[in-house]
Amino acid sequence: MKLHVFDSCPFCVRVKAVIGLKGIECEISPMVLGEMPTSLEGKLERFSVPVLEETHPETGEISLMVESLDIIRKLDQLHVSPLNQPMFDSYELSEALELRLEQLKPVTAQLLYPRMPKLNLPELATAQALDSFVESRKGVLGQSIEQALEKTELYLPQLEQQLELMEQEIDVEGLISGRRSLTIDDIAAFAELRNFTMIAELTLSENMQAYIEQISARPHIATYPPITR
């Protein structure tokens, strides 16, 4: 199996976390923005990441799967036995987390997109990919990434308020204290929170920082170096 990803894509991180947690043999294949891998050309109705590519061992036939939660369901139920049970009881995010992630989108775009070109991301490894990213973000942000970066202090309180609410809704303390087990909400929340580690000006609560570190360590998914304006 091969998983095609962008490093900064939270949906890709969701799947990578499960692969790491379960110890599944799967090649992680970073993609460059604007460059379609040959094995995927003409085979997707619409291009999105992650893409799980699986080659049948006997026929050589290639099958593709998209949508992070569908991929996670498939991977979590591989080789199920009395000694190897699925990690999750559900593969649907809670309504509370879905709503919180939706409310986070506008402010996180303003804070994250300006920092991504400074991180040497695999998806922005070529000059063409970087130029395309910077130019396309203008329409999303309603301003240049440089202008958004200068307004960090304007957007930061909005992010911090959303994260305070998220911490309570997903019971961060319950996981780090061992009072409850890992859920699909934790995987999705971590995938978003990992990106926030690139914001040097963001101060996370002790519990939220411990939560990120605890989940990050198990599948060995590194967080980002902090980027300041």
Side-chain angles (χ1 to χ4, degrees):
M1 291 188 293
K2 179 186 291 187
L3 186 72
H4 299 274
V5 300
F6 289 152
D7 188 82
S8 60
C9 168
F11 300 100
C12 298
V13 174
R14 293 179 185 185
V15 180
K16 287 164 59 177
V18 172
I19 288 171
L21 288 166
K22 291 185 69 74
I24 296 171
E25 291 188 16
C26 181
E27 178 185 351
I28 305 298
S29 179
M31 296 173 52
V32 176
L33 184 65
E35 298 182 12
M36 178 74 76
T38 303
S39 59
L40 303 184
E41 288 182 351
K43 297 178 181 178
L44 295 171
E45 292 184 9
R46 62 179 179 85
F47 178 70
S48 65
V49 285
V51 180
L52 182 67
E53 177 184 347
E54 190 171 11
T55 303
H56 193 282
E58 296 180 2
T59 66
E61 182 179 349
I62 294 176
S63 62
L64 303 177
M65 178 177 286
V66 296
E67 304 297 343
S68 62
L69 295 179
D70 290 341
I71 297 173
I72 287 172
R73 183 194 302 271
K74 174 184 176 65
L75 296 177
D76 193 33
Q77 296 182 3
L78 285 177
H79 313 304
V80 171
S81 70
L83 298 178
N84 183 19
Q85 292 295 303
M87 292 180 61
F88 307 111
D89 296 327
S90 170
Y91 302 96
E92 299 295 329
L93 303 189
S94 67
E95 290 185 10
L97 183 59
E98 289 273 23
L99 179 60
R100 188 62 51 213
L101 295 181
E102 196 63 32
Q103 293 177 338
L104 275 167
K105 284 181 181 179
V107 65
T108 57
Q110 300 288 351
L111 288 164
L112 299 181
Y113 289 151
R115 288 166 169 80
M116 289 180 179
K118 302 173 181 289
L119 287 170
N120 297 317
L121 295 170
E123 54 263 38
L124 303 180
T126 67
Q128 184 176 355
L130 183 58
D131 289 345
S132 175
F133 175 83
V134 170
E135 187 61 30
S136 65
R137 295 310 91 181
K138 291 180 182 178
V140 176
L141 302 177
Q143 59 187 334
S144 70
I145 61 172
E146 292 82 7
Q147 289 170 323
L149 191 61
E150 286 301 315
K151 296 177 182 176
T152 292
E153 300 304 328
L154 173 64
Y155 303 118
L156 207 55
Q158 302 172 52
L159 175 58
E160 291 172 342
Q161 181 182 39
Q162 291 293 326
L163 293 184
E164 286 179 11
L165 294 170
M166 178 191 283
E167 183 173 340
Q168 300 304 315
E169 290 165 350
I170 61 177
D171 187 15
V172 163
E173 193 278 332
L175 183 72
I176 62 177
S177 68
R179 181 165 44 81
R180 67 172 182 84
S181 57
L182 193 76
T183 69
I184 197 66
D185 271 8
D186 295 311
I187 297 297
F190 165 73
E192 299 289 334
L193 292 166
R194 173 185 180 248
N195 273 354
F196 301 150
T197 63
M198 72 176 72
I199 307 172
E201 297 85 352
L202 176 63
T203 301
L204 296 167
S205 71
E206 289 186 12
N207 277 349
M208 192 67 95
Q209 186 65 47
Y211 178 81
I212 294 171
E213 292 172 357
Q214 180 174 318
I215 300 177
S216 172
R218 293 169 63 184
H220 306 293
I221 296 179
T223 56
Y224 287 120
I227 303 296
T228 183
R229 68 180 180 91

